Amino acid sequence: MTKQRVAGIVWCVSVIATLLALLPVTVHKRTIYTCMLCRAERTNHTLFGYDWEEHRDTGFTGWYVMNRPAHEHEWTRISCVRGRNVFGMTTSWGCGPRHPLCDIRPEVLKRYAERVDQQTMDAYFAGVLSTNREMQKSAVETVWENIMGMK
C-alpha cells in the first residue's frame, strides 16, 4: 500500500471519527416564550455560545395593543427547550409544566376578547397573572367554556 493511500485512509477515518464525535454535541438551543398579557412570542436561541432573541406578534397582540394599556411583557415558556447538533438532529429535549394559558391559541383568545366585556377580560388577566395555579386554570377554563358555548 502506498503512502498516499494510507494517508487517504487515515484522513477518511479521522473525518468519520470527528463526525461521529459531533453527533451528541449540542450547538443550537431554542426555547419559545409567550407574553401572558399580549401573547407576543419571543424565541431565545443559542448557537455556538452566541445568544439572540426573535420577537413576533400573534393573532391576539393587535387586539391587546388596541384595547389594553401599555405593559411590560410577562414571559412564560410555551415550548420545550430543544437542542440540536451541527446536522440538525435533536440532541436534547427539556420539558416541564407550562402555564395553563399555553393551552389557548392566541387566535382563540382574540375571539373570546372580542365577545366579552372589559370586566370579564380584567378577570381573565387577573387569573392568568395570579401565582395560584387553580386561579390560572380557572381563567383558562372560563375562556374555553365561553368559546365552546359561542359556536
Side-chain angles (χ1 to χ4, degrees):
M1 198 177 295
T2 67
K3 286 184 179 184
Q4 280 183 319
R5 184 133 174 108
V6 170
I9 291 171
V10 168
W11 183 84
C12 284
V13 169
S14 297
V15 168
I16 290 169
T18 301
L19 292 175
L20 290 174
L22 289 176
L23 281 176
V25 176
T26 299
V27 298
H28 177 248
K29 282 188 180 179
R30 179 280 282 142
T31 309
I32 304 171
Y33 297 86
T34 188
C35 174
M36 293 188 284
L37 297 169
C38 71
R39 296 303 301 272
E41 289 183 357
R42 180 186 88 202
T43 304
N44 289 10
H45 295 273
T46 301
L47 180 65
F48 295 110
Y50 175 73
D51 298 327
W52 78 95
E53 296 179 353
E54 296 174 315
H55 294 260
R56 76 175 191 91
D57 291 343
T58 64
F60 184 71
T61 307
W63 180 92
Y64 188 92
V65 169
M66 297 298 293
N67 294 282
R68 302 293 294 186
H71 70 289
E72 291 291 321
H73 290 301
E74 296 284 338
W75 299 110
T76 187
R77 183 184 53 78
I78 196 168
S79 76
C80 296
V81 178
R82 182 180 69 200
R84 294 186 178 249
N85 64 17
V86 293
F87 307 107
M89 298 166 54
T90 300
T91 55
S92 62
W93 193 266
C95 294
R98 298 181 315 158
H99 193 289
L101 77 80
C102 296
D103 295 332
I104 303 174
R105 289 189 338 269
E107 296 75 19
V108 171
L109 186 57
K110 180 182 177 190
R111 203 166 86 212
Y112 172 75
E114 289 173 339
R115 296 180 182 190
V116 299
D117 60 22
Q118 171 108 18
Q119 186 177 5
T120 303
M121 284 308 293
D122 290 344
Y124 164 80
F125 287 118
V128 296
L129 291 175
S130 170
T131 56
N132 181 307
R133 192 70 165 185
E134 291 308 312
M135 288 182 70
Q136 295 169 356
K137 288 178 183 178
S138 178
V140 169
E141 287 169 3
T142 299
V143 172
W144 280 118
E145 290 168 2
N146 197 305
I147 287 297
M148 296 312 279
M150 290 181 176
K151 293 182 183 181

